[in-house]
Amino acid sequence: DAGVIQSPRHEVTEMGQEVTLRCKPISGHNSLFWYRQTMMRGLELLIYFNNNVPIDDSGMPEDRFSAKMPNASFSTLKIQPSEPRDSAVYFCASQPPSTGAETQYFGPGTRLLVL
Amino acid sequence: DQQVKQNSPSLSVQEGRISILNCDYTNSMFDYFLWYKKYPAEGPTFLISISSIKDKNEDGRFTVFLNKSAKHLSLHIVPSQPGDSAVYFCAASAVDYKLSFGAGTTVTVRA
């Protein structure tokens, strides 16, 4: 299995632009997570999907952030408009059904820089 | 506010010696604790975990200790090897899926 796939791996954009991050979870996994990593706060859960349905979006910073999961094999995290404080590494993770948190598999991350 | 704290951003240890990483938490509802390891340009990978009903869990060179009264856990790596150089994240869970992470500790193992 190729693992969790994220694209792009690096993104540099200017303030005000729209940014879309993409994730392909591991086949058969029914839970998907978006995390953001910063130096100060470590990894923060942004949103959690189960069976393509958003279950917990309490970590989404503000209305500029949105996430979708149109099917079991694809999810997007969109930032519109982007701001310099959004610069971070964004991870997607997926988890098989009926398992604990230790089975969350993380993708390699997208490093976002907003100028 | 961060509920899981790793107060040491970095740790340097000589190969063969013990590495001790510390983690403190504030939420008394946390009942499951995990450590993740992360190499550059990769996502975190699960290393070891412990349930709140235990105070120690061992897996090879890695041991996690939990002190519930102090709301403190630690990860011991013995002996430390060069391949252990990575960022280590402490995480805690009160709800099945939701992990709260610390900011991470960067471990450097010197030859």
Side-chain angles (χ1 to χ4, degrees), chain B residues 45-84:
Chain B
T45 56
F46 169 72
L47 186 59
I48 191 169
S49 63
I50 187 167
S51 165
S52 61
I53 62 173
K54 295 186 175 182
D55 55 18
K56 177 182 174 181
N57 188 28
E58 191 172 350
D59 183 1
R61 297 185 297 113
F62 302 91
T63 303
V64 56
F65 296 91
L66 175 63
N67 182 334
K68 288 192 295 291
S69 60
K71 293 190 176 68
H72 177 84
L73 64 155
S74 61
L75 174 69
H76 292 208
I77 307 173
V78 183
S80 299
Q81 298 175 353
D84 297 330

Side-chain angles (χ1 to χ4, degrees), chain A residues 9 33 35 37-43 45 48 55-56 58 91 95 99-102 104 106-108, chain B residues 1-2 32 34 36 38 41-46 49 87 89 93 96-104:
Chain A
R9 294 293 308 275
F33 307 83
Y35 289 91
Q37 182 195 0
T38 60
M39 292 293 291
M40 293 301 297
R41 300 185 62 82
L43 282 151
L45 176 66
Y48 158 57
I55 303 298
D56 183 349
S58 59
F91 289 101
Q95 182 175 326
T99 60
E102 69 273 12
Q104 284 188 29
F106 285 78
Chain B
D1 190 26
Q2 268 202 298
Y32 196 61
L34 308 90
Y36 285 78
K38 183 187 176 305
E42 295 183 10
T45 56
F46 169 72
S49 63
V87 179
F89 290 99
S93 174
D96 206 17
Y97 63 86
K98 193 162 189 172
L99 292 174
S100 296
F101 284 85

